[in-house]
Amino acid sequence: MAGSRVAVVTGANQGIGFATVKELCRTFDGSVYLTSRNENLGRAAVEELEKLGLRPKYHQLDIDDESSVLRLRDYLKATYGGLDILVNNAAMLILAKDEDSRELFAENTRSVVQTNFFNTFRVCNILFPLLRPHARVVNLSSSMGHISQIEGQSEAASTLRAKFSSPDLSYKELLKLMNDFLDAVKRGDHADYGWPRKNWVSYIASKIAVSAMTRIQQRDFDVDPREDIIINHVHPGYVNTKMASFKGVLTIEQGAAAPSWLAMLPPNDATNPKGAYVWHDKTIVDWVKGPLPAEY
Ligand SMILES: NC(=O)c1ccc[n+]([C@@H]2O[C@H](COP(=O)([O-])OP(=O)(O)OC[C@H]3O[C@@H](n4cnc5c(N)ncnc54)[C@H](OP(=O)(O)O)[C@@H]3O)[C@@H](O)[C@H]2O)c1
């Protein structure tokens, strides 16, 4: 199998990740890995797709567990010798409640930012060396990950927006911005630094960081000796999943449409989006200037 093509979707036992595996099984000429942190849930999801006549493969992956990511990397290397598609879909949401103590708010914020940003960043750092020429990577951001979610005209908000959206932002600076955010949340003064007060702030911060990270990653791929590697960040829409408390307006298949399209961008096509923030209807939205086409 070494040399045959392979795709990996993280957090794929349910929701948008599951539907992305389903779509890739139909369209991608290679092995498609449904991964999940819980093996039983993942295997049950594979069986569900098998009933539709699809043939996804399975590998365990908990992005919060470095050894799990390393096991997947070693397996892919030994079995396929590389990686052609990576969809960084796994994420979590904990909405803060007004009555949360500062300690609980800080703890929950750390968990959300750790999984959605720091651990997704680690997955990239561990798996990117496997990417082959023409590989496609898709990072699931959100409408909440648009820079305009840092709202208002205060000097602090303008400074924060300018830092995240700088075309020269480095990984080191991005990591510092996120660690500073976590420290400010712990102190209870994150709003003084331009962050929104709202109950969504942990998720907003984590997804802004994922989007900012994607822009740096494409800059790196542009000068990578491996040809034509592309990464984009996507808002999948307001999708009817557990994360959206099953209130979303799009089906999981509709939510998987833009991520799957980005995963399958054709080789060497000058019209391909690169490092772009892509809306669920496949239009490209300016991540720095906006405006957002809709609330979701
Ligand atoms: N739904 C929306 O309206 C919406 C809007 C904008 C962006 N998004 C983004 O779209 C992506 C998919 O969300 P969804 O709505 O499909 O959510 P979901 O149905 O809750 O699915 C999230 C998936 O991520 C997995 N996951 C969480 N932590 C993980 C970890 N540490 N390691 C591996 N897997 C982990 C979950 O596993 P378990 O089943 O074990 O919990 C689950 O399979 C997320 O990045 C989300 O932020 C969703």
Side-chain angles (χ1 to χ4, degrees):
M1 281 213 277
S4 67
R5 301 183 75 216
V6 58
V8 168
V9 182
T10 71
N13 54 289
Q14 61 172 321
I16 296 163
F18 175 76
T20 302
V21 168
K22 189 180 189 183
E23 179 62 17
L24 290 180
C25 282
R26 294 189 168 127
T27 52
F28 177 64
D29 181 18
S31 303
V32 182
Y33 276 81
L34 186 155
T35 70
S36 65
R37 55 181 166 181
N38 178 305
E39 180 150 0
N40 291 334
L41 295 178
R43 298 229 179 249
V46 165
E47 275 176 30
E48 210 177 315
L49 292 177
E50 283 172 348
K51 284 187 198 140
L52 301 175
L54 303 172
R55 293 281 168 268
K57 295 184 183 287
Y58 179 76
H59 202 282
Q60 193 272 348
L61 176 66
D62 181 346
I63 69 166
D64 292 341
D65 174 2
E66 185 176 20
S67 63
S68 168
V69 189
L70 292 171
R71 273 199 302 279
L72 175 65
R73 186 224 25 214
D74 292 346
Y75 172 79
L76 290 170
K77 201 172 175 181
T79 314
Y80 298 93
L83 177 60
D84 301 285
I85 291 177
L86 172 63
V87 181
N88 281 310
N89 168 80
M92 54 122 89
L93 164 70
I94 307 175
L95 281 186
K97 299 189 191 71
D98 292 340
E99 63 271 24
D100 286 351
S101 66
R102 192 199 291 172
E103 289 71 26
L104 180 61
F105 174 54
E107 194 184 310
N108 287 342
T109 300
R110 176 166 289 282
S111 301
V112 170
V113 170
Q114 187 68 45
T115 296
N116 296 3
F117 168 61
F118 287 105
N119 294 348
T120 298
F121 182 53
R122 183 172 64 191
V123 167
C124 293
N125 292 337
I126 292 174
L127 295 185
F128 278 10
L130 291 185
L131 294 176
R132 283 192 267 252
H134 312 293
R136 303 291 179 246
V137 183
V138 186
N139 289 339
L140 272 284
S141 181
S142 167
S143 56
M144 297 291 170
H146 192 264
I147 194 73
S148 61
Q149 297 292 348
I150 300 172
E151 298 162 320
Q153 295 314 314
S154 70
E155 200 185 323
S158 303
T159 305
L160 198 55
R161 279 195 297 269
K163 284 182 179 167
F164 274 104
S165 57
S166 163
D168 304 319
L169 183 72
S170 66
Y171 293 121
K172 195 173 164 202
E173 287 162 342
L174 176 57
L175 293 171
K176 180 168 175 359
L177 280 168
M178 297 313 291
N179 281 315
D180 287 350
F181 166 67
L182 293 178
D183 289 344
V185 165
K186 223 193 269 175
R187 289 191 307 268
D189 63 0
H190 60 282
D192 296 349
Y193 294 88
W195 290 103
R197 284 178 195 282
K198 22 182 177 187
N199 303 355
W200 286 85
V201 67
S202 59
Y203 186 76
I204 287 173
S206 72
K207 291 296 186 175
I208 285 178
V210 165
S211 282
M213 172 184 80
T214 310
R215 288 155 49 89
I216 309 175
Q217 289 169 326
Q218 183 63 57
R219 246 167 47 203
D220 281 359
F221 288 142
D222 287 343
V223 293
D224 195 289
R226 295 166 294 181
E227 186 193 351
D228 183 38
I229 300 185
I230 293 180
I231 183 163
N232 288 290
H233 43 140
V234 58
H235 167 54
Y238 185 32
V239 185
N240 197 21
T241 66
K242 187 172 175 195
M243 183 179 288
S245 305
F246 297 104
K247 289 182 184 153
V249 295
L250 301 183
T251 63
I252 55 171
E253 288 76 16
Q254 289 169 323
S260 310
W261 172 66
L262 292 169
M264 292 289 295
L265 289 174
N268 294 331
D269 183 332
T271 65
N272 281 337
K274 284 170 90 179
Y277 179 66
V278 179
W279 205 248
H280 58 83
D281 61 2
K282 303 180 188 169
T283 54
I284 293 173
V285 173
D286 190 318
W287 188 70
V288 178
K289 297 190 190 120
L292 285 185
E295 195 184 333
Y296 51 75

